[in-house]
Each structure stands twice: as structure tokens, then as C-alpha cells.
Amino acid sequence: MIAIISDIHSNLAALQAVLDDFGEVEQIWSLGDLVGYGPNPNEVLDILKGKLSFSLTGNHDLGSIGQMDLNAFTPDAKEACLFTDKKITLENRRYLEGTKLVEGLSNFSLVHASPREPVWEYILNVEAAFENFDYFETPFCFVGHTHMPVIFKRNKPNAVAPREDAVIELDLDDKVIINPGSVGQPRDGDPRSSYLLLDDKNLTIAYKRVEYDVKAIQEAMEEAGLPRNLIDRLEHGL
Ligand code: ZN
């Protein structure tokens, strides 16, 4: 079993809840944006560095280490990037510098944002998904970035919001873009952390939601002086 996590965004409480929820797995794959928005960049990186099979580059990861123009971000996101840049240790900065834009493993392609634009494009609808199906060679591509759990299948052109715990079979003759949702800042109206479990032998995925201590992370964000909007949105899952 492989746990696929994305968009943790320095939310230590959410990360811990998710790690506890899946327990022992063979591998953990991360789709990027380990940092940004939240108060705990170093704590999150210290826990995950030794656990991840690989780590992909997210826009917030780049923005937090001075490798992306911060004017590309919203004012709140920019402020959180600057906070992270100030706080992050040299060792953790080096780790983020070493993340990859694209990973390919047997039937799976993995990117933070989209196969066409690995760091920036948001795949929010069927049109964007269709424009991206030709940009990866494998049957399946995992993406993060939008913080929305969703599946796009080329053979069935609609966007499927997956049900919690439902086991979904992956078809090798299809082309599928799969988003596990966000661990640290869900945006589908459900404040619980989202991730998925991949059974790479039987080719099935299962979506998981996990409650975590939202109040604790909000207090830590207040103490850190992070923007009010970023604090408030966590309890609404928006
Ligand atoms: Zn993100």
C-alpha cells in the first residue's frame, strides 16, 4: 500500500493526524507544497524528509526559498512564503531545493500542478484535464495544487468528486488524472485532511478524510502572526 499526500503547507497537526491514520505503509509519495500557509515548516520537513520515497516541487516550496517571484502569489500567500523563508533551516532549504518537477514510477506520473505545467497550472475542470491527457505517457497521473479531491477519466469525460472510503478501480486502458486533495488546507468545504491510499498491485485507490486539531494549528498561526484569512479558512475547509 502506498499513501499519497499533497499540499501539507506546514500544518503539523494535520500531518500528524494523517500519518497516524495510515500507520504502516510501504511508501509515502508527496506531490509538493510541503510548506507555505502554515506555522510549522521545519517540523513538517523534519518528520517527512526520512519518510518520503520522493518529493515534488510545489509553487509554495519555491516561493518559500526565494526561487519564485512572490508577486505571482496572493498577498496572504506571499506573506506566508516570507514567514517560511525567514524560519526555515539551511538543511530544510536544501531539501526543498532538491525536490523534483516530475516523477515517473511504472504506471504512474506524478507532478504538483499539471503534466503540462508542473508547478503552476490548476486542473480544476474537465477542459483543463483534457488539455493535459497528452502530456503524460503513463495511464495514471497524480496531481495536487488545487486542494480538491477529484478524478478525471478520459474515457468518461466528467469530474468525479470521490466518496470517502470508496475503493475505486483504475483502468489500464484509460488515462486518468487523480488529485488526492490537501492534507493541510482542504478547499472542498470539508475541513478534514484529505489523502489517498494506492494499492499499486490491484490498481485501486481509496480516498480518506481525517479530523485533526484545527484549533491547535490556528493558535500556532496566530502566535506566528500569519494572516487572519489563512487562519480562518481552515475551519471551513475553504
Ligand atoms: Zn498548495
Side-chain angles (χ1 to χ4, degrees):
M1 200 66 78
I2 296 164
I4 303 185
I5 57 177
S6 190
D7 295 276
I8 296 145
H9 285 295
S10 301
N11 186 334
L12 178 63
L15 173 64
Q16 277 170 335
V18 164
L19 291 175
D20 286 348
D21 195 63
F22 61 68
E24 283 289 305
V25 287
E26 286 156 68
Q27 294 186 55
I28 307 174
W29 294 352
S30 163
L31 307 181
D33 275 2
L34 293 168
V35 302
Y37 291 133
N40 311 117
N42 290 313
E43 292 89 337
V44 162
L45 283 163
D46 290 344
I47 289 173
L48 285 180
K49 273 184 297 189
K51 289 190 197 293
L52 298 178
S53 305
F54 62 86
S55 195
L56 294 173
T57 316
N59 51 318
H60 288 258
D61 300 323
L62 291 179
S64 296
I65 56 171
Q67 293 199 357
M68 185 168 274
D69 181 0
L70 291 182
N71 293 319
F73 292 86
T74 65
D76 286 344
K78 177 177 170 177
E79 203 174 319
C81 282
L82 290 170
F83 164 84
T84 310
D85 200 342
K86 230 181 269 164
K87 265 204 113 180
I88 198 162
T89 63
L90 184 61
E91 188 194 332
N92 286 333
R93 184 182 295 275
R94 293 274 178 271
Y95 181 83
L96 291 181
E97 285 168 359
T99 56
K100 306 170 83 171
L101 286 178
V102 183
E103 178 68 277
L105 294 164
S106 67
N107 290 313
F108 307 99
S109 302
L110 303 107
V111 293
H112 176 64
S114 83
R116 180 166 61 177
E117 276 190 67
V119 178
W120 267 114
E121 182 182 13
Y122 291 87
I123 303 184
L124 283 163
N125 51 44
V126 174
E127 290 71 32
F130 266 77
E131 287 170 21
N132 271 280
F133 282 131
D134 286 336
Y135 285 82
F136 59 100
E137 304 293 320
T138 57
F140 315 116
C141 181
F142 287 99
V143 302
H145 195 45
T146 65
H147 301 202
M148 302 288 275
V150 65
I151 301 171
F152 300 100
K153 297 182 174 188
R154 190 166 60 180
N155 289 349
K156 267 193 205 142
N158 55 6
V160 177
R163 271 187 305 121
E164 186 178 348
D165 291 324
V167 175
I168 299 156
E169 287 181 18
L170 299 176
D171 179 359
L172 277 171
D173 295 324
D174 202 349
K175 241 174 168 182
V176 189
I177 293 174
I178 306 157
N179 191 319
S182 168
V183 169
Q185 197 200 73
R187 290 182 193 159
D188 61 340
D190 182 344
R192 295 174 303 163
S193 292
S194 181
Y195 74 95
L196 64 78
L197 290 172
L198 164 68
D199 179 336
D200 61 325
K201 288 160 199 88
N202 295 312
L203 289 180
T204 60
I205 52 172
Y207 274 82
K208 299 287 171 185
R209 296 306 285 244
V210 189
E211 278 196 50
Y212 73 95
D213 194 343
V214 174
K215 277 268 166 300
I217 207 75
Q218 287 178 316
E219 280 167 24
M221 289 173 79
E222 261 173 54
E223 242 166 75
L226 286 159
R228 188 77 244 166
N229 283 340
L230 298 183
I231 298 171
D232 290 341
R233 69 189 297 180
L234 289 179
E235 71 198 64
H236 306 294
L238 295 172

